[in-house]
């Protein structure tokens, strides 16, 4: 494993609540404030871990759990529905120290899918489990389960009905918030270790059994101490085809590109022309953070050891909303 054992103050945490935001024209001040509050809550959850000298892996797990518990975001409680009216959730975690990873796909029941992914990494010989087999594994690990009603929100159910009606009529309003939404976190801890976690309900009205990039290691989730940690959000099929997260890490490793350069080349120059609407949050071994996206907006935020906690939604500077 790599990473210094000496504690320092250069920890960093970045989170996203998904690309494909509500259109600015439809965003109310109250709802915008609620999204910022949800991002701040997730950043606080991870910051507490990192400030106390905890691991990047524990920090990203805590941050993503907070986002899964917030119904505004498309993961855990508030996940979107498949075309069959069911919720199928995916999640992944990765530890940059040794590339340990765990992922789950097509489940609904565990309160926090990210903990299901973490359990697979920590307590099995596998990386990915799916469907009912994953559910049985989670039961054996005694993870907290919830009834289907816990995950339901009017917003997501209505979005499904509207999407199905548009499909029937051959229409498409090009609303990005219907097409993708994910939550994720990346961190560098005070020991110099990196980690990433991603969780999603997928795409509204997706085909039952569809799996996106979030649980695919190297596509939507990646962490390696020598390069970077990445959590992606967007059109998963394109992110998978371009191995988006691994492509960024490879550019850093083999081409000597900085995190910012590699991230922007992949998100802006590669994914966007291919139809890969979305973005990423990323942190490198030095604690540098990059948050590029190629769509109308991305719920995002970051916090570092200096204590500033910054969030943003649209194409705007990150703002410290604690002092706004």
């Amino acid at each position: 494993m790599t990473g210094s054992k000496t504690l320092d103050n250069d920890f960093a945490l970045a989170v996203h609540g998904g690309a494909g935001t509500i259109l600015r024209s439809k965003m109310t001040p109250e709802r915008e404030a609620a999204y910022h509050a949800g991002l701040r809550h997730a950043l606080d959850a991870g910051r507490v871990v990192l400030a106390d000298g905890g691991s990047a892996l524990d920090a990203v797990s805590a941050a993503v759990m907070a986002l899964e518990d917030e119904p505004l975001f498309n993961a855990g409680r508030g996940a979107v529905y498949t075309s069959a009216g069911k919720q199928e959730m995916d999640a992944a975690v990765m530890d940059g120290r040794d590339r340990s990873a765990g992922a789950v796909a097509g489940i609904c029941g565990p309160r926090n899918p990210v903990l299901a992914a973490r359990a697979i990494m920590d307590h099995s010989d596998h990386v990915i489990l799916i469907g009912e087999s994953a559910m049985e594994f989670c039961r054996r690990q005694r993870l907290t389960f919830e009834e289907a009603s816990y995950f339901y929100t009017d917003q997501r159910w209505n979005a499904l009905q509207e999407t199905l009606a548009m499909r029937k009529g051959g229409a498409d309003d090009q609303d990005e918030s219907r097409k993708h939404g994910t939550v994720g976190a990346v961190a560098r801890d005070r020991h110099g270790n990196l980690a990433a976690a991603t969780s999603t309900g997928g795409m509204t009205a997706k085909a039952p059994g569809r799996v996106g990039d979030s649980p695919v290691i190297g596509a939507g989730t990646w962490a390696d101490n020598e390069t970077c940690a990445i959590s992606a959000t967007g059109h998963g099929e394109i992110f998978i085809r371009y191995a988006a997260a691994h492509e960024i890490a490879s550019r850093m490793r083999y081409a000597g590109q900085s995190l910012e350069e590699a991230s922007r080349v992949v998100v802006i120059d590669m994914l966007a022309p291919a139809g890969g609407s979305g973005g990423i949050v990323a942190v490198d071994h030095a604690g540098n953070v990059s948050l590029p996206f190629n769509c109308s907006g991305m719920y995002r935020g970051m916090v570092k050891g200096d204590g500033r906690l910054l969030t943003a939604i649209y194409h705007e500077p990150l703002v410290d909303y604690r002092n706004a």
Side-chain angles (χ1 to χ4, degrees), residues 307-318:
R308 290 184 305 147
L309 191 153
L310 311 172
T311 59
I313 298 177
Y314 300 106
H315 287 274
E316 59 200 8
L318 290 162

Side-chain angles (χ1 to χ4, degrees), residues 162-219:
E162 292 167 3
T163 302
L164 293 176
M166 283 192 294
R167 283 185 181 177
K168 188 175 181 179
D172 185 349
D173 64 358
Q174 299 300 318
D175 186 346
E176 292 173 339
S177 65
R178 297 178 188 275
K179 298 182 178 180
H180 45 68
T182 310
V183 306
V186 294
R188 178 205 189 264
D189 63 32
R190 295 174 67 192
H191 303 273
N193 297 314
L194 306 181
T198 313
S199 181
T200 187
M203 304 168 71
T204 300
K206 66 184 181 181
R210 179 262 187 185
V211 177
D213 64 305
S214 296
V216 179
I217 303 304

Side-chain angles (χ1 to χ4, degrees), residues 87-100:
Q87 289 167 306
E88 296 180 356
M89 304 173 203
D90 308 334
V93 295
M94 190 167 185
D95 189 338
R97 292 174 294 182
D98 61 359
R99 299 196 190 184
S100 294

Side-chain angles (χ1 to χ4, degrees), residues 58-317:
D58 286 343
V60 297
S61 298
V64 168
M65 285 175 63
L67 292 166
E68 289 175 335
D69 291 343
E70 171 52 67
L72 287 172
F73 301 110
N74 175 19
R77 190 180 188 190
V80 300
Y81 287 86
T82 70
S83 60
K86 304 294 183 181
Q87 289 167 306
E88 296 180 356
M89 304 173 203
D90 308 334
V93 295
M94 190 167 185
D95 189 338
R97 292 174 294 182
D98 61 359
R99 299 196 190 184
S100 294
V104 65
I107 66 167
C108 183
R111 180 188 180 103
N112 293 107
V114 71
L115 292 186
R118 181 77 182 266
I120 290 167
M121 183 183 75
D122 290 340
H123 302 296
S124 82
D125 296 326
H126 307 301
V127 172
I128 303 177
L129 293 178
I130 66 170
E132 186 52 42
S133 295
M135 295 279 283
E136 180 56 33
F137 176 84
C138 291
R139 294 186 188 99
R140 293 198 303 270
Q141 296 301 314
R142 299 186 177 181
L143 296 186
T144 300
F145 274 64
E146 299 288 353
E147 297 296 326
S149 59
Y150 168 82
F151 300 102
Y152 171 90
T153 62
D154 287 339
Q155 176 190 355
R156 302 304 187 187
W157 183 254
N158 293 338
L160 171 65
Q161 307 313 312
E162 292 167 3
T163 302
L164 293 176
M166 283 192 294
R167 283 185 181 177
K168 188 175 181 179
D172 185 349
D173 64 358
Q174 299 300 318
D175 186 346
E176 292 173 339
S177 65
R178 297 178 188 275
K179 298 182 178 180
H180 45 68
T182 310
V183 306
V186 294
R188 178 205 189 264
D189 63 32
R190 295 174 67 192
H191 303 273
N193 297 314
L194 306 181
T198 313
S199 181
T200 187
M203 304 168 71
T204 300
K206 66 184 181 181
R210 179 262 187 185
V211 177
D213 64 305
S214 296
V216 179
I217 303 304
T221 305
W222 182 258
D224 175 23
N225 277 8
E226 294 183 5
T227 53
C228 60
I230 294 170
S231 176
T233 169
H235 190 161
E237 281 72 12
I238 307 300
F239 280 66
I240 292 171
R241 286 164 49 191
Y242 280 78
H246 191 267
E247 176 71 20
I248 293 169
S250 294
R251 287 174 172 271
M252 294 176 67
R253 182 186 299 275
Y254 301 118
Q257 294 181 354
S258 68
L259 176 68
E260 184 70 15
E261 181 182 7
S263 297
R264 290 196 171 275
V265 166
V266 171
V267 173
I268 306 300
D269 299 337
M270 293 181 62
L271 295 175
S277 172
I280 66 160
V281 295
V283 63
D284 68 13
H285 53 85
N288 298 306
V289 172
S290 183
L291 311 168
F293 58 98
N294 60 34
C295 49
S296 61
M298 181 173 74
Y299 304 108
R300 63 199 186 279
M302 61 176 286
V303 63
K304 287 193 172 185
D306 62 10
R308 290 184 305 147
L309 191 153
L310 311 172
T311 59
I313 298 177
Y314 300 106
H315 287 274
E316 59 200 8

